[in-house]
Amino acid sequence: MGSYRERLLVPVSYWLLAVPSIAFLGAEAWFVAGGIVPPVTLAVLFLIAAVFLIKWGSATIEVAGGVLRAGGDTLPLGEAGEVVALDEEQAALLRGPRADPAAHLFLRPYVKRAVYIGLADPTDGVPYWLISTRHPDRLTAAIGQAPADGGPSADDRQSVG
């Protein structure tokens, strides 16, 4: 098939943690001012947090038409080399101590697993892409099955013959 789509939604725990954090920050407005200022401060803080969490959770990963899209970035699969599904430990190492500063990272802290995509010809200085995903095996399989030039996938070529 070679197509894949995943949305990296923010977990409910982040929303639940935002409520008391904002309440504590907003409560400080009552110590400084009275009247309409504290409720307006709370409303503005809730709005800022909601916009941030919604924007953060709108991140998508998609493999279709010979292209990998991660957020707003695009990688033609013809440029992909080695593709490896990483468990939590391996992903943590590549996010931290073994990270290459020139690598292209599409990470979310609430998604612990990732996929490593080495570039076949890293001439532009980017040695690899590291993409957070909840389903690294599915993403790896989709990248492996997708046609690199946007033509028929390996499955489509087999069904024609």
Side-chain angles (χ1 to χ4, degrees):
M1 187 176 243
S3 65
Y4 176 86
R5 184 172 171 82
E6 177 182 5
R7 187 165 175 193
L8 300 177
L9 294 171
V10 176
V12 174
S13 61
Y14 276 50
W15 289 93
L16 295 176
L17 287 172
V19 172
S21 300
I22 292 167
F24 284 124
L25 288 173
E28 292 183 17
W30 263 282
F31 292 113
V32 177
I36 190 86
V37 174
V40 169
T41 302
L42 277 172
V44 169
L45 289 173
F46 272 114
L47 183 64
I48 290 170
V51 167
F52 175 76
L53 290 173
I54 289 169
K55 175 75 173 135
W56 214 19
S58 68
T60 58
I61 302 166
E62 183 177 16
V63 176
V67 173
L68 167 67
R69 288 181 194 84
D73 301 316
T74 303
L75 175 67
L77 294 178
E79 296 179 16
E82 179 185 20
V83 180
V84 180
L86 304 175
D87 62 19
E88 291 182 18
E89 275 186 35
Q90 295 166 325
L93 287 173
L94 277 178
R95 282 192 306 264
R98 292 192 185 159
D100 187 327
H104 179 83
L105 305 175
F106 183 74
L107 303 174
R108 295 294 183 264
Y110 49 86
V111 180
K112 302 299 183 198
R113 295 177 288 172
V115 169
Y116 167 92
I117 304 165
L119 298 184
D121 184 24
T123 54
D124 64 348
V126 177
Y128 63 87
W129 280 38
L130 185 64
I131 300 174
S132 289
T133 176
R134 290 186 173 99
H135 311 287
D137 294 328
R138 289 189 215 164
L139 179 56
T140 301
I143 292 170
Q145 292 175 355
D149 60 357
S153 67
D155 293 340
D156 295 337
R157 288 190 297 271
Q158 287 176 347
S159 64
V160 171

